[in-house]
Amino acid sequence: MTDAKATPAKTHRFATRAIHAGASPDPATGARVQPIYFTNGFVFDSTEQAADIFAMRRTGFSYSRGSNPTVAALERRVADLEGAKAAVAVSSGQSAVLLVLMTLLRSGDAYVASPRLFGGSLGLMRRLDGRYDLHPQFAAGLTPEDFEAAITPRTRAIVCESIVNPCAAVMDLEGIAAVAKRHGLPLVVDNTLASPALIRPIEHGADIVVHSTSKFLGGSGQTIGGVICDAGRFDWARADRYDLINAPWPDYEGLVVRERFPDMPFAVACRLFGLRDLGPGLSPMNAFLTLTGIETLPLRMARHCANARTVAAYLKDHPKVAWVSYPGLPGQEGAALAERYVPQGPGSIFTFALKGGEPDAIRFIMGLELISHLVNIGEIKSLAIHPASTTHRQLRPEERDAARVGSETVRLSVGLENVEDLIADIAQALAKLD
Ligand SMILES: *Cc1c(COP(=O)(O)O)cnc(C)c1O
């Protein structure tokens, strides 16, 4: 159990903390880089110590499914950058979303969800509804009023993305947080497309932040991972709900997580139930690569945003392009929210459509030479995909329209290449559409 506090780097600015927070030279060897602890088990000093760690009476490492020193360094760093009390790293972004829902809800509970989410999240929500009776209540639109209108007495949480995958819409986090607060509900924000370099949802009222570290945090498209952050300030004390936090755990001698860990009860419940019981822990190797990626996050995000803005502006003015969904350009839908929440730019993942519809969308992707046809996002390399036949394939046509990924849509993830080379590649692919 290692929800250790972040190291004193707290007083430093963001770029410094991206490099230093949560890790320090190895006390055993002096190694400057965070060592990779490839070990499943950790030797106990005594049987009392072992029993105490298992019963959550003291912190310490026991078995790497639940916690590991390399993974703990990543957890401390992401918690620090997000302004969270604690973080729990997991094997993928998908399992981060799953563990948050499973830890918050029991069968019969409902939660309000944004109608526009990453396709994998929408698919997961539909399956959990059908098999486990965890019911998503999709808001009719993206405004705080839409979210409020979807709340019922069964609602136990609100879930949205800070910047929406793939349409780049920037959500009104403060407006939605005010709705959540008014109804006593925790606000869960998937911050994958912004990363803490662009948006820190906790500063805008979020209670729980999740990431797929497979994207901008790792940055190089090498490893899958996820992380869950607990802001530590939601008032969970309600007898009729959140039983993993409020009710005694009989197999832990009546442990009440909220009482024993008042600063970070959600993170502790995620670790106990999500990692000890369910099991999707992160490999120390993946934690190490992700930590290395985070060290350059602020630099990369600035360039990602600048390149994306240039590419989006080029596409918007191109005669073969029907529309571009990138609120970082003036006059675009959602530009006011983008200006308010992400002055640097709304990331580098966005959609556009060709006047030639689906056939041209496919031909455009096949015509690219430098930009890879690939399903990941948030990598150093630029990527393109046709969401309707891949990431959002499992959705019904009306759900695809609600998520703004009709068959005419192309998604781009703009990388860090020289932007003139990216424009040249796009120009030659567009020139082939005649
Ligand atoms: C990719 C992604 C996920 C899922 O993450 P994986 O690491 O691929 O499992 C969740 N949410 C968003 C917004 C994503 O882009």
Side-chain angles (χ1 to χ4, degrees):
M1 191 53 229
T2 54
D3 281 307
K5 295 269 189 319
T7 46
K10 267 272 186 275
T11 51
H12 292 129
R13 292 175 180 79
F14 190 88
T16 309
R17 291 187 281 124
I19 295 169
H20 292 283
S24 42
D26 179 39
T29 62
R32 186 65 192 88
V33 173
Q34 170 62 45
I36 306 171
Y37 289 97
F38 267 136
T39 178
N40 293 352
F42 301 83
V43 175
F44 299 118
D45 296 335
S46 65
T47 52
E48 288 77 19
Q49 185 207 23
D52 283 349
I53 290 174
F54 266 78
M56 304 292 289
R57 282 190 298 261
R58 72 155 91 173
T59 60
F61 297 106
S62 58
Y63 188 63
S64 283
R65 176 173 6 95
S67 58
N68 168 282
T70 313
V71 178
L74 172 66
E75 291 167 340
R76 289 191 296 266
R77 182 159 307 166
V78 176
D80 184 282
L81 295 181
E82 285 290 3
K85 282 279 169 33
V88 178
V90 296
S91 60
S92 67
Q94 194 72 13
S95 57
V97 176
L98 172 69
L99 294 201
V100 166
L101 294 176
M102 299 284 273
T103 304
L104 283 174
L105 309 170
R106 54 189 305 162
S107 295
D109 287 345
Y111 57 99
V112 169
S114 170
R116 283 199 227 161
L117 293 169
F118 165 62
S121 300
L122 291 170
L124 169 66
M125 288 173 174
R126 188 141 25 77
R127 208 103 52 212
L128 289 177
D129 187 19
R131 296 177 62 85
Y132 301 102
D133 196 23
L134 305 175
H135 183 58
Q137 305 169 304
F138 290 108
L142 301 188
T143 69
E145 294 73 30
D146 292 321
F147 280 73
E148 185 150 41
I151 295 172
T152 69
R154 281 171 70 196
T155 307
R156 295 291 178 266
I158 297 180
V159 181
C160 69
E161 291 171 6
S162 52
I163 299 178
V164 177
N165 181 356
C167 67
V170 178
M171 301 295 285
D172 182 1
L173 292 182
E174 281 171 22
I176 297 169
V179 169
K181 207 170 173 58
R182 206 152 48 238
H183 293 267
L185 300 168
L187 174 60
V188 180
V189 176
D190 182 335
N191 199 31
T192 300
L193 265 71
S195 88
L198 299 185
I199 300 183
R200 288 174 294 281
I202 290 170
E203 292 176 2
H204 301 293
D207 300 295
I208 296 163
V209 175
V210 301
H211 279 282
S212 164
T213 62
S214 323
K215 317 295 171 55
F216 287 122
L217 290 179
S220 294
Q222 297 165 326
T223 57
I224 303 288
V227 69
I228 301 164
C229 301
D230 180 1
R233 62 178 177 214
F234 184 73
D235 181 8
W236 299 98
R238 290 278 295 268
D240 63 331
R241 51 184 75 174
Y242 314 123
D243 60 324
L244 290 179
I245 294 167
N246 285 319
W249 289 54
D251 48 344
Y252 284 77
E253 298 159 343
L255 168 73
V256 175
V257 170
R258 175 171 56 80
E259 289 170 359
R260 184 87 61 82
F261 302 96
D263 290 348
M264 53 185 86
F266 185 73
V268 172
C270 276
R271 191 179 301 282
L272 283 183
F273 175 58
L275 290 182
R276 278 199 187 173
D277 288 344
L278 298 177
L282 183 70
S283 158
M285 185 70 206
N286 290 2
F288 172 83
L289 290 170
T290 306
L291 265 175
T292 306
I294 290 173
E295 293 177 356
T296 56
L297 178 72
L299 271 180
R300 285 187 285 108
M301 291 313 289
R303 176 67 80 85
H304 274 297
C305 288
N307 279 2
R309 187 188 305 271
T310 307
V311 170
Y314 171 80
L315 286 168
K316 185 167 152 279
D317 292 337
H318 196 284
K320 290 180 186 167
V321 171
W323 53 259
V324 175
S325 175
Y326 181 76
L329 297 177
Q332 287 269 300
E333 192 186 334
L337 284 172
E339 180 62 31
R340 176 170 156 207
Y341 285 98
V342 276
Q344 275 201 77
S348 79
I349 292 118
F350 66 91
T351 50
F352 72 98
L354 291 157
K355 289 184 180 153
E358 178 170 11
D360 270 3
I362 305 278
R363 285 166 62 208
F364 170 78
I365 292 170
M366 296 321 295
L368 292 168
E369 291 169 1
L370 175 63
I371 298 175
S372 302
H373 178 203
L374 177 61
V375 75
N376 199 31
I377 51 170
E379 288 189 21
I380 283 175
K381 298 183 180 73
S382 291
L383 317 168
I385 194 81
H386 182 239
S389 60
T390 58
T391 53
H392 288 70
R393 183 186 185 84
Q394 273 79 25
L395 304 188
R396 294 187 291 269
E398 64 276 15
E399 290 174 320
R400 266 186 228 144
D401 289 341
R404 283 277 187 88
V405 283
S407 62
E408 74 289 359
T409 306
V410 176
R411 179 180 76 186
L412 287 182
S413 174
V414 179
L416 306 185
E417 298 92 342
N418 182 299
V419 74
E420 285 164 31
D421 291 335
L422 293 176
I423 303 271
D425 192 37
I426 290 169
Q428 66 80 26
L430 288 170
K432 291 180 199 158
L433 305 178
D434 284 316

